[in-house]
PDB file of all heavy atoms in Angstrom:
ATOM      1  N   LEU S  32     -13.684  -1.400  -6.600  1.00  0.00           N
ATOM      2  CA  LEU S  32     -13.978  -1.649  -5.213  1.00  0.00           C
ATOM      3  C   LEU S  32     -15.377  -2.236  -4.972  1.00  0.00           C
ATOM      4  O   LEU S  32     -15.551  -3.022  -4.013  1.00  0.00           O
ATOM      5  CB  LEU S  32     -13.863  -0.349  -4.405  1.00  0.00           C
ATOM      6  CG  LEU S  32     -12.480   0.006  -3.881  1.00  0.00           C
ATOM      7  CD1 LEU S  32     -12.565   1.238  -2.987  1.00  0.00           C
ATOM      8  CD2 LEU S  32     -11.880  -1.156  -3.086  1.00  0.00           C
ATOM      9  N   GLU S  33     -16.323  -1.866  -5.766  1.00  0.00           N
ATOM     10  CA  GLU S  33     -17.671  -2.465  -5.564  1.00  0.00           C
ATOM     11  C   GLU S  33     -17.606  -3.965  -5.635  1.00  0.00           C
ATOM     12  O   GLU S  33     -18.218  -4.684  -4.850  1.00  0.00           O
ATOM     13  CB  GLU S  33     -18.658  -1.887  -6.568  1.00  0.00           C
ATOM     14  CG  GLU S  33     -18.971  -0.399  -6.400  1.00  0.00           C
ATOM     15  CD  GLU S  33     -19.837  -0.138  -5.180  1.00  0.00           C
ATOM     16  OE1 GLU S  33     -20.112  -1.075  -4.395  1.00  0.00           O
ATOM     17  OE2 GLU S  33     -20.188   1.030  -4.964  1.00  0.00           O
ATOM     18  N   HIS S  34     -16.860  -4.473  -6.604  1.00  0.00           N
ATOM     19  CA  HIS S  34     -16.693  -5.908  -6.758  1.00  0.00           C
ATOM     20  C   HIS S  34     -15.941  -6.498  -5.569  1.00  0.00           C
ATOM     21  O   HIS S  34     -16.301  -7.525  -4.999  1.00  0.00           O
ATOM     22  CB  HIS S  34     -15.976  -6.218  -8.073  1.00  0.00           C
ATOM     23  CG  HIS S  34     -15.718  -7.678  -8.311  1.00  0.00           C
ATOM     24  ND1 HIS S  34     -14.563  -8.302  -7.894  1.00  0.00           N
ATOM     25  CD2 HIS S  34     -16.493  -8.621  -8.879  1.00  0.00           C
ATOM     26  CE1 HIS S  34     -14.616  -9.562  -8.204  1.00  0.00           C
ATOM     27  NE2 HIS S  34     -15.749  -9.819  -8.812  1.00  0.00           N
ATOM     28  N   ALA S  35     -14.834  -5.819  -5.182  1.00  0.00           N
ATOM     29  CA  ALA S  35     -14.007  -6.329  -4.079  1.00  0.00           C
ATOM     30  C   ALA S  35     -14.794  -6.323  -2.760  1.00  0.00           C
ATOM     31  O   ALA S  35     -14.709  -7.304  -2.002  1.00  0.00           O
ATOM     32  CB  ALA S  35     -12.745  -5.459  -3.930  1.00  0.00           C
ATOM     33  N   ARG S  36     -15.527  -5.253  -2.502  1.00  0.00           N
ATOM     34  CA  ARG S  36     -16.259  -5.191  -1.227  1.00  0.00           C
ATOM     35  C   ARG S  36     -17.383  -6.225  -1.212  1.00  0.00           C
ATOM     36  O   ARG S  36     -17.666  -6.797  -0.155  1.00  0.00           O
ATOM     37  CB  ARG S  36     -16.820  -3.779  -1.066  1.00  0.00           C
ATOM     38  CG  ARG S  36     -15.705  -2.747  -0.752  1.00  0.00           C
ATOM     39  CD  ARG S  36     -16.229  -1.317  -0.742  1.00  0.00           C
ATOM     40  NE  ARG S  36     -15.207  -0.368  -0.371  1.00  0.00           N
ATOM     41  CZ  ARG S  36     -15.358   0.940  -0.389  1.00  0.00           C
ATOM     42  NH1 ARG S  36     -16.521   1.470  -0.743  1.00  0.00           N
ATOM     43  NH2 ARG S  36     -14.369   1.742  -0.055  1.00  0.00           N
ATOM     44  N   ALA S  37     -18.023  -6.443  -2.343  1.00  0.00           N
ATOM     45  CA  ALA S  37     -19.094  -7.476  -2.383  1.00  0.00           C
ATOM     46  C   ALA S  37     -18.508  -8.853  -2.135  1.00  0.00           C
ATOM     47  O   ALA S  37     -19.099  -9.687  -1.427  1.00  0.00           O
ATOM     48  CB  ALA S  37     -19.790  -7.429  -3.758  1.00  0.00           C
ATOM     49  N   ALA S  38     -17.284  -9.124  -2.661  1.00  0.00           N
ATOM     50  CA  ALA S  38     -16.662 -10.388  -2.432  1.00  0.00           C
ATOM     51  C   ALA S  38     -16.311 -10.577  -0.933  1.00  0.00           C
ATOM     52  O   ALA S  38     -16.544 -11.651  -0.375  1.00  0.00           O
ATOM     53  CB  ALA S  38     -15.397 -10.509  -3.293  1.00  0.00           C
ATOM     54  N   LEU S  39     -15.787  -9.551  -0.321  1.00  0.00           N
ATOM     55  CA  LEU S  39     -15.444  -9.619   1.102  1.00  0.00           C
ATOM     56  C   LEU S  39     -16.714  -9.818   1.960  1.00  0.00           C
ATOM     57  O   LEU S  39     -16.752 -10.603   2.890  1.00  0.00           O
ATOM     58  CB  LEU S  39     -14.716  -8.361   1.548  1.00  0.00           C
ATOM     59  CG  LEU S  39     -13.272  -8.194   1.032  1.00  0.00           C
ATOM     60  CD1 LEU S  39     -12.761  -6.820   1.325  1.00  0.00           C
ATOM     61  CD2 LEU S  39     -12.350  -9.242   1.653  1.00  0.00           C
ATOM     62  N   ALA S  40     -17.756  -9.064   1.618  1.00  0.00           N
ATOM     63  CA  ALA S  40     -18.990  -9.160   2.387  1.00  0.00           C
ATOM     64  C   ALA S  40     -19.668 -10.519   2.222  1.00  0.00           C
ATOM     65  O   ALA S  40     -20.438 -10.957   3.079  1.00  0.00           O
ATOM     66  CB  ALA S  40     -19.963  -8.030   1.955  1.00  0.00           C
ATOM     67  N   GLY S  41     -19.397 -11.202   1.118  1.00  0.00           N
ATOM     68  CA  GLY S  41     -20.011 -12.469   0.859  1.00  0.00           C
ATOM     69  C   GLY S  41     -19.280 -13.673   1.441  1.00  0.00           C
ATOM     70  O   GLY S  41     -19.738 -14.808   1.310  1.00  0.00           O
ATOM     71  N   LEU S  42     -18.129 -13.435   2.075  1.00  0.00           N
ATOM     72  CA  LEU S  42     -17.376 -14.534   2.680  1.00  0.00           C
ATOM     73  C   LEU S  42     -18.162 -15.166   3.831  1.00  0.00           C
ATOM     74  O   LEU S  42     -18.856 -14.485   4.572  1.00  0.00           O
ATOM     75  CB  LEU S  42     -16.032 -14.048   3.169  1.00  0.00           C
ATOM     76  CG  LEU S  42     -15.021 -13.623   2.096  1.00  0.00           C
ATOM     77  CD1 LEU S  42     -13.780 -13.025   2.737  1.00  0.00           C
ATOM     78  CD2 LEU S  42     -14.624 -14.804   1.215  1.00  0.00           C
ATOM     79  N   GLU S  43     -17.977 -16.467   3.989  1.00  0.00           N
ATOM     80  CA  GLU S  43     -18.634 -17.156   5.109  1.00  0.00           C
ATOM     81  C   GLU S  43     -18.099 -16.672   6.446  1.00  0.00           C
ATOM     82  O   GLU S  43     -18.850 -16.522   7.411  1.00  0.00           O
ATOM     83  CB  GLU S  43     -18.421 -18.674   4.963  1.00  0.00           C
ATOM     84  CG  GLU S  43     -19.111 -19.505   6.014  1.00  0.00           C
ATOM     85  CD  GLU S  43     -18.963 -20.968   5.789  1.00  0.00           C
ATOM     86  OE1 GLU S  43     -18.599 -21.387   4.660  1.00  0.00           O
ATOM     87  OE2 GLU S  43     -19.148 -21.742   6.751  1.00  0.00           O
ATOM     88  N   HIS S  44     -16.802 -16.404   6.516  1.00  0.00           N
ATOM     89  CA  HIS S  44     -16.226 -15.954   7.771  1.00  0.00           C
ATOM     90  C   HIS S  44     -14.947 -15.175   7.469  1.00  0.00           C
ATOM     91  O   HIS S  44     -14.047 -15.683   6.838  1.00  0.00           O
ATOM     92  CB  HIS S  44     -15.903 -17.167   8.696  1.00  0.00           C
ATOM     93  CG  HIS S  44     -15.486 -16.740  10.078  1.00  0.00           C
ATOM     94  ND1 HIS S  44     -16.377 -16.254  10.998  1.00  0.00           N
ATOM     95  CD2 HIS S  44     -14.274 -16.754  10.686  1.00  0.00           C
ATOM     96  CE1 HIS S  44     -15.741 -15.996  12.142  1.00  0.00           C
ATOM     97  NE2 HIS S  44     -14.474 -16.274  11.974  1.00  0.00           N
TER      98      HIS S  44
END
Side-chain angles (χ1 to χ4, degrees):
L32 273 187
E33 292 289 3
H34 178 269
R36 290 173 177 175
L39 290 169
L42 292 174
E43 183 177 341
H44 189 72

